[in-house]
Amino acid sequence: MHGDEATVRKILTELGDTWAVVGLSTNTRRAAYGVAEVLQRFGKRVVPVHPKAETVHGEQGYASLADIPFEVDVVDVFVNGDLAGAVADEAVAKGARAVWFQLGVVDEAAYDRTRAAGLEMVMDRCPAIEIPRLPHASS
């Protein structure tokens, strides 16, 4: 498993509250939309990253991570597995503290590169499932 409980907890509670959600758009049927809503409920600032740069859940969207004009703590990746590695590399370049690949997204090489760059990383997990399990979590 890529992301033991200690790493999951650290990303969710210690590494910062600004989460760039790559693949988040106004499409309410997409998983990213609901996950972003849960993250907001638990106090995270959710920054949509999508080619359309739409405003979602009241937050201005950006076309790419590089376009975000402020620091990002965690990059949550909702893209196909074959594109996820490039997003992890962009997260490293952006100066993020962690990368989170959603359920079903696994890229061993990206994991190795991201960890080697000093970032925490979780793959094949969902923060919306994990965050309510944390002690003292409240919505």
Side-chain angles (χ1 to χ4, degrees), residues 70-125:
F70 47 83
E71 289 187 8
V72 169
D73 300 310
V74 181
V75 175
D76 191 4
V77 183
F78 280 93
V79 298
N80 292 333
D82 56 339
L83 302 175
V87 176
D89 295 338
E90 291 171 25
V92 170
K94 178 70 181 164
R97 301 171 76 190
V99 174
W100 192 300
F101 281 6
Q102 282 296 320
L103 291 170
V105 180
V106 175
D107 182 330
E108 300 288 346
Y111 182 86
D112 292 342
R113 287 193 311 273
T114 302
R115 295 291 294 131
L119 283 71
E120 297 291 343
M121 186 163 178
V122 171
M123 295 194 296
D124 196 25
R125 304 278 292 261

Side-chain angles (χ1 to χ4, degrees), residues 32-46:
Y33 190 89
V35 170
E37 205 166 41
V38 171
L39 289 169
Q40 275 190 326
R41 200 164 60 239
F42 282 91
K44 305 300 181 190
R45 178 182 184 188
V46 172

Side-chain angles (χ1 to χ4, degrees), residues 17-22 24-25 32-49 54-62 68 70 72 74 76 78 127:
D17 291 332
T18 301
W19 285 53
V21 181
V22 179
L24 176 57
S25 70
Y33 190 89
V35 170
E37 205 166 41
V38 171
L39 289 169
Q40 275 190 326
R41 200 164 60 239
F42 282 91
K44 305 300 181 190
R45 178 182 184 188
V46 172
V47 182
V49 179
E54 299 170 312
T55 296
V56 185
H57 298 308
E59 286 284 349
Q60 167 65 50
Y62 297 89
I68 300 173
F70 47 83
V72 169
V74 181
D76 191 4
F78 280 93

Side-chain angles (χ1 to χ4, degrees), residues 8 12 35 38-39 100 102-103 125-134:
V8 167
L12 290 171
V35 170
V38 171
L39 289 169
W100 192 300
Q102 282 296 320
L103 291 170
R125 304 278 292 261
C126 179
I129 293 170
E130 304 297 338
I131 201 167
R133 296 178 178 169
L134 294 174

